[in-house]
Each structure stands twice: as structure tokens, then as C-alpha cells.
């Protein structure tokens, strides 16, 4: 994230204050050492200058602590700059005036203005420092300002030395101010360019809809854009995390030499919601300006829907080929099958003996079953055009329930139908929707071996009508759930595998969706959503 101008300013001021504390520490140590070892006239204990420097050191430390919490820096900067100027003047007055070795405090005040403010503050500070320094010089020149050392002895000033010191120090302050103003301008220009480039870089990374990670040679994350966090389902700062933990299986695809760009795919369970997704990734070398290998740049995106569409396309191509073959076979079977059924009807009543009658019934039953399979095959391969009418689906479900209960083979099944009080209107082909429901209800009854509880429900949402058929039978294995709508795939020994494929085709022709949820030993639920 790009630092705000306030944070950049705060950092500059903080750096200067740290340097200032170091310089004050050195000055205080030198002054105490001078008084203790080289100044024979110095009194024992801390003098006024040492106390002043200690106060300055303490206040500077306090200013640095306040700076960390301040939201408006300009008042603090002006206060600190004014304090620096006044304190420099006081120190000079206590240590010899114009000839003081601590005249560099004025220079430090000017440098502080350069670090903490702009060119206006630099020149204002420089003007005040020179004015106060000249005022001290004039006071010493005309004798109006008499300075004494700590022993009480008057400090005598040679006017020639005073003039030389004034010229030297004023020139030094002016030169420092000029250089500081120039460097401040260059710094602001460079900082502005850096901030603009940093902001542009951050905006580019933020605008990417795909994830982007930079990883060092130890597979530790160096940076991550917001889309990377969103795609992986994680929050917070990813810097420093192990790339292999973040994206399991990533490490084995990274080329240590950094010389190759490769593409690969990985399956990932998102940390946030546990959803299984497929990622398409590419990795390339991360190098510096000299071409030295630093790590990897990993670019990735969610290709779950793309792969699902590809699988659906391959499935449709396969089903299309199967459908064409099935249609051809169905046409070839229909005529011989009709002949067999006709012959069986002619023989009915003419055969003698229980065994012959049993065999005739088997022929009739199996030819009827084959005829039904052929009809389903033809319905699947040559779907009938929809004849839509606006109907109240409660009526269709009510008729279905009556017919189901009237069948004696369903006597041991408890059919529970839940219908809303208000009409549920939908523009559908009523005959084909009834065919869908019959297929699902018949399959549910078979899954429960003809006994148990079967639930049939109808609800309406804001955009859809939902139909549900739920049994409490054996359930469907997870490995079979993805294939149950494929033609000729069936989990029943006697199933043709056409019914559910036909159900899905009819629902999709209506612009709807069908979902299945199943647990072994618990049961299965089919949910149909149709446009309302």
C-alpha cells in the first residue's frame, strides 16, 4: 500500500529527530568532558550549559514520542523549529556568544527546518538565526551585551576576531540554507515521482483480476496483490508466509534456476469457505537489474468454471455420439419388437399349461419394458418441442400424488406432499414436467425397495419455482453422483440409464436446473429450479 503524504512527512521528521538526539548526545558528552578534564576553572557538578543541553535532549525525546501519535504535523514542526532557534540563542549566550563553539546549533536548526518543512520554513529559519546571531554580535561589539563564564569572569572579545567569526558563521548559515533549499527541492521532486510511481504500481496490481505473488528463493512470499488474497480465500498480510502452505503443491513446479517460464494447474481448497477450486498458474523468474535470480513471480487465476465448461462440452460431444447411435439402434429394434409383441398377443388364450402361460407373460412383460426403453431413447435423442402453458404446479403435483397412491405396489410408501397455500404459476410443458416428476418418484420408490417415507415439495422464491423429491433410501455413492445424468449409466441392476438423462434434458429445455444431494444410508434429494 502506498504511504500517504502525512506518513512520508512523519518519517522524515522522525529520522531528523533521531539524528538530532545523536548530535545532542555527542555535544553533551563533549561539553561535560571539556569541563571535567580541560577547563581548569570549571566548577564541580553540572553547569548551566550542561543542564540546558539535558533539557534540550529530554524535550527532543518527548517531541519524538508525541510525533508518533500526532495527526497534524505542521504545528509540531513550527513549535520544534522555534524552540531550536531560541535554545541555540540561549546556548550561545551562555558559552561565549559569537565565539561560542556551539554556534553549529543554528546550523542544526536550519537543517531541521530543511528536513521537517519546505523552502519557506528553511529561509524563515535562516533569517531568524542570522538576525539573532547578528544581534548577539552587535551587543558584544558595542559592549551592551557582557558575557561571563561560569567562574564569573567577563569574556573579552577581540573585535577583529568577532568580525571574522560573524562573517564566517553567517556565510556558513547562508550556504547551508542555500544547499538545504536546493536539496529539499530535489528531494520533494524525487519523492513526488517515487510516490506517483508507487501509486501507479499499486493501482495496477490492485486492478488485476488475477492473483500475483512474488516469492523468494526460500519460497517465502515477498508481495501479494488483493486479488491473490481474494482468490485464495485468505485475509491479512501474506508477506513472509510459506508459498507451499499458501498454495499446496506449488514448490515442485518452481524452477530453482529461474530460467524457465512454465504453466501448470493445481486444485486448492480455499481457506475462507472451504470451496474446492482449480487454479491455472504460471511462474517466471524474478531477477534484479543485473539479471541475478531473486525468486519467482507466480501469476494465477481461478479456472474452475472454465474447466467445468470444458468437461460439459466433452460430455455433450460424447452424449451426442451416443444419442445418434442409440437413435439408430432404437429404430432398428422397434419393428422386430412390435412383431414379437403382436405374436404374443395372438398366442394369448391359445397356449395350454401353466409353464407356457408363465413364459408368455414373461415375453409380454419384457417386450413392454423394451418398448418403454425404446420410447425413452427416442424421446432423449429426438426431444419433443415444448408446448408451454401457464399452469398451477400444485395441480400437477396433486394429480401425481393421487396416481402414486392408487398404485397398490406403493402401498408401503408414505408419500408426504408439501404445497403452498397460494397458486404457484409457471410457463411449462405440463406433460413433460409430469414425465420428469414420474421418473423421479418412480426412482425414489425403487431406491427404498417399495417402503419408507417419500417427500414431494413445491416452493416459490423471488425468481424461481422449486420442486423437490426426497427419499430415505440407500443413497448414491459420491463417485456416482457426477455420472447419474449420463445416458446408459444406472446404479440399478435393471435400470436402462435413460430416465435421469431425459429428466435433465427436459429441465434444461425449460431453462431450469436440477441438482442432486445424496448420502449413503440416508437418502437422496433431487431439487428442480424452474423460471417462475
Amino acid at each position: 500500500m502506498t504511504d500517504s503524504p502525512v506518513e512520508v512527512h512523519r518519517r522524515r521528521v522522525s529520522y531528523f529527530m533521531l539524528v538530532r538526539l545523536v548530535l545532542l548526545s555527542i555535544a553533551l558528552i563533549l561539553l561535560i568532558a571539556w569541563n571535567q578534564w580541560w577547563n581548569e576553572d570549571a566548577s564541580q557538578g553540572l553547569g548551566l550549559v550542561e543542564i540546558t543541553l539535558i533539557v534540550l535532549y529530554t524535550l527532543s525525546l518527548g517531541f519524538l514520542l508525541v510525533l508518533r501519535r500526532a495527526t497534524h504535523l505542521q504545528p509540531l514542526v513550527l513549535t520544534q523549529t522555534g524552540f531550536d532557534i531560541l535554545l541555540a540563542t540561549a546556548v550561545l549566550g551562555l558559552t561565549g556568544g559569537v565565539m561560542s563553539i556551539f554556534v553549529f546549533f543554528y546550523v542544526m536548526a536550519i537543517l531541521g527546518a530543511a528536513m521537517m518543512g519546505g523552502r519557506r520554513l528553511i529561509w524563515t529559519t535562516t533569517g531568524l538565526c542570522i538576525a539573532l546571531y547578528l544581534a548577539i554580535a552587535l551587543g558584544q561589539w558595542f559592549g551592551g551585551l557582557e558575557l561571563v563564564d561560569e567562574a564569573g569572569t567577563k569574556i573579552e572579545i577581540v573585535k577583529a576576531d568577532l568580525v571574522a567569526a560573524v562573517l564566517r558563521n553567517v556565510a556558513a548559515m547562508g550556504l547551508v540554507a542555500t544547499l538545504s533549499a536546493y536539496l529539499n527541492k530535489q528531494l520533494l521532486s524525487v519523492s513526488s515521482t517515487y510516490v506517483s510511481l508507487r501509486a501507479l504500481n499499486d493501482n495496477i496490481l490492485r486492478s488485476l483480476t488475477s492473483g500475483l505473488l512474488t516469492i523468494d528463493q526460500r519460497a517465502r512470499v515477498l508481495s501479494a496483490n488483493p486479488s491473490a488474497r481474494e482468490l485464495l480465500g485468505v485475509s491479512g498480510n501474506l508477506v513472509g508466509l510459506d508459498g507451499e502452505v499458501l498454495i499446496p503443491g506449488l514448490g515442485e513446479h518452481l524452477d530453482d534456476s529461474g530460467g524457465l517460464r512454465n504453466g501448470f494447474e493445481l486444485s486448492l481448497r480455499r481457506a475462507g469457505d472451504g470451496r474446492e477450486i482449480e487454479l491455472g498458474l504460471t511462474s517466471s523468474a524474478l531477477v534484479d537489474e543485473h539479471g541475478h535470480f531473486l525468486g519467482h513471480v507466480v501469476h494465477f487465476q481461478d479456472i474452475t468454471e472454465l474447466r467445468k465448461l470444458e468437461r460439459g462440452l466433452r460430455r455433450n460431444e460424447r452424449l451426442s455420439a451416443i444419442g445418434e447411435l442409440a437413435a439408430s439402434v432404437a429404430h432398428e429394434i422397434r419393428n422386430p419388437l412390435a412383431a414379437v409383441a403382436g405374436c404374443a398377443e395372438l398366442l394369448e388364450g391359445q397356449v395350454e399349461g401353466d409353464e407356457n402361460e408363465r413364459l408368455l407373460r414373461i415375453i409380454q412383460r419384457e417386450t413392454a419394458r423394451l418398448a418403454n426403453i425404446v420410447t425413452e431413447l427416442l424421446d432423449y435423442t429426438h426431444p419433443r418441442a415444448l408446448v408451454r402453458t401457464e399452469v398451477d404446479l400444485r395441480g400437477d403435483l396433486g394429480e401425481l400424488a393421487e396416481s402414486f397412491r392408487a398404485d397398490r405396489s406403493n402401498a408401503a410408501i408414505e408419500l408426504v406432499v408439501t404445497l403452498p397455500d397460494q397458486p404457484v404459476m409457471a410457463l411449462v410443458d405440463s406433460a413433460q414436467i409430469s414425465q420428469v416428476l414420474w421418473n423421479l418418484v418412480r426412482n425414489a420408490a425403487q431406491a427404498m425397495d417399495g417402503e419408507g417415507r417419500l417427500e414431494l415439495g413445491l416452493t416459490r422464491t423471488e425468481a424461481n419455482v422449486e420442486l423437490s423429491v426426497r427419499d430415505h433410501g440407500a443413497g448414491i455413492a459420491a463417485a456416482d453422483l457426477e455420472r447419474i445424468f449420463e445416458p446408459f449409466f444406472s446404479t440399478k441392476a435393471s435400470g436402462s440409464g435413460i430416465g435421469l438423462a431425459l429428466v435433465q434434458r427436459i429441465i434444461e429445455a425449460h431453462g431450469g436446473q436440477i441438482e442432486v444431494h445424496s448420502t449413503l444410508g440416508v437418502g437422496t434429494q433431487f431439487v428442480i429450479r424452474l423460471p417462475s
Side-chain angles (χ1 to χ4, degrees), residues 115 198 200 215 264 329 430 476:
M115 289 294 296
R198 179 76 179 273
L200 176 61
I215 299 177
F264 51 96
V329 172
S430 183
I476 304 172

Side-chain angles (χ1 to χ4, degrees), residues 43-224:
S43 58
Q44 297 296 321
L46 294 175
L48 187 57
V49 176
E50 290 92 333
I51 293 174
T52 303
L53 288 177
I54 292 173
V55 172
L56 176 60
Y57 185 91
T58 304
L59 291 177
S60 298
L61 185 60
F63 178 83
L64 185 60
L65 296 176
V66 172
L67 179 65
R68 298 177 59 185
R69 299 179 177 85
T71 55
H72 301 286
L73 300 182
Q74 192 63 20
L76 284 175
V77 169
L78 294 177
T79 300
Q80 182 63 46
T81 303
F83 180 75
D84 289 345
I85 296 172
L86 293 177
L87 199 57
T89 304
V91 170
L92 260 67
L94 294 172
T95 58
V98 173
M99 305 301 293
S100 172
I101 63 172
F102 296 104
V103 72
F104 72 88
F105 274 26
Y106 277 137
V107 175
M108 192 168 68
I110 296 171
L111 291 174
M115 289 294 296
M116 296 188 295
R119 301 179 69 188
R120 178 180 297 179
L121 182 61
I122 294 173
W123 290 115
T124 301
T125 302
T126 303
L128 288 173
C129 289
I130 292 176
L132 290 171
Y133 184 72
L134 291 177
I136 294 175
L138 290 174
Q140 290 184 279
W141 177 276
F142 293 107
L145 180 63
E146 294 184 352
L147 301 177
V148 296
D149 57 22
E150 294 186 2
T153 306
K154 179 181 177 181
I155 299 175
E156 298 292 340
I157 298 295
V158 178
K159 291 187 176 181
D161 294 339
L162 187 147
V163 171
V166 168
L167 293 176
R168 181 176 63 251
N169 291 327
V170 169
M173 284 186 276
L175 181 61
V176 169
T178 302
L179 291 174
S180 297
Y182 174 76
L183 294 176
N184 181 269
K185 180 181 179 180
Q186 296 300 314
L187 177 62
L188 291 177
S189 176
V190 171
S191 298
S192 177
T193 302
Y194 168 77
V195 170
S196 298
L197 291 175
R198 179 76 179 273
L200 176 61
N201 179 70
D202 287 348
N203 289 335
I204 291 173
L205 294 178
R206 189 181 302 109
S207 300
L208 289 175
T209 57
S210 52
L212 188 68
L213 296 176
T214 55
I215 299 177
D216 64 17
Q217 298 181 51
R218 298 181 301 158
R220 296 286 177 179
V221 176
L222 298 174
S223 66

